[in-house]
Amino acid sequence: MNNLLNLDGPVMRLINKIVYSVYLNILWFICCIPIVTIGASTTALFYVTLKIAKNEEGNLTKAFFHSFKENLKQGTVIWLILLCLGIILGIDGYALYHLRFENVFWTLCTAFLLIAIAAYAVVLMYIFPLLARFDNTIGAMFKNALFMGIRFLLCTIAMAVIYFLMLLIIVRFFTPAVIFGEGLCALLCSYLLSNILLLCQEKSEENKKPAPELQ
């Protein structure tokens, strides 16, 4: 029992990480208030939670605002693009729902929309963790986020389940759980993404190595 409750024991480490997630959720929410900064705030959140997943957290506040400032411009542009795409998909979905026709054209449009929504959700889950770890162009970020989500499908499904369960708990069962919200979701997803992003980093470094000279 004493080993479980000491400062370096598994129980206390778990409690510390939960407390970290609550604190980071508060920082994330405050920095999201201007709305246009949601992208930079989410990137900063993942920057810290990915460090926590590797037990490299250090000063949470300093790390959060370092990433926030570093990725403010690119994170904001990415978020505004995602916001516009989300609005377009929402309008299309509303129109298709209220213009239901029992014909092939309507069925094909609906199928295409569902595929587009799925791709949008995948990009939304992956792009900010990618931005937190890699420097790249905005177009490459979107492409890599989609490809990673498809390649690591089990991780994508697990992340979607995490976000869905958190939303369900907050809306249907225990509204005060909003204090954990995005912070806890990001932390849990970071544990899933940590090794995947490390693998991507190693491959990226391998691709940058010069080809060996021919003898």
Side-chain angles (χ1 to χ4, degrees), residues 48 121 127 133 190 192:
V48 182
I127 197 164
R133 283 291 299 271
S190 293
L192 295 172

Side-chain angles (χ1 to χ4, degrees), residues 103-146:
N103 56 38
V104 176
F105 178 74
W106 185 87
T107 303
L108 288 174
C109 288
T110 303
F112 179 79
L113 179 63
L114 291 175
I115 292 171
I117 291 172
Y120 177 83
V122 168
V123 170
L124 193 61
M125 287 190 289
Y126 277 88
I127 197 164
F128 295 116
L130 278 175
L131 181 58
R133 283 291 299 271
F134 301 103
D135 291 324
N136 216 328
T137 63
I138 291 174
M141 285 289 181
F142 275 88
K143 182 180 72 174
N144 292 338
L146 182 59

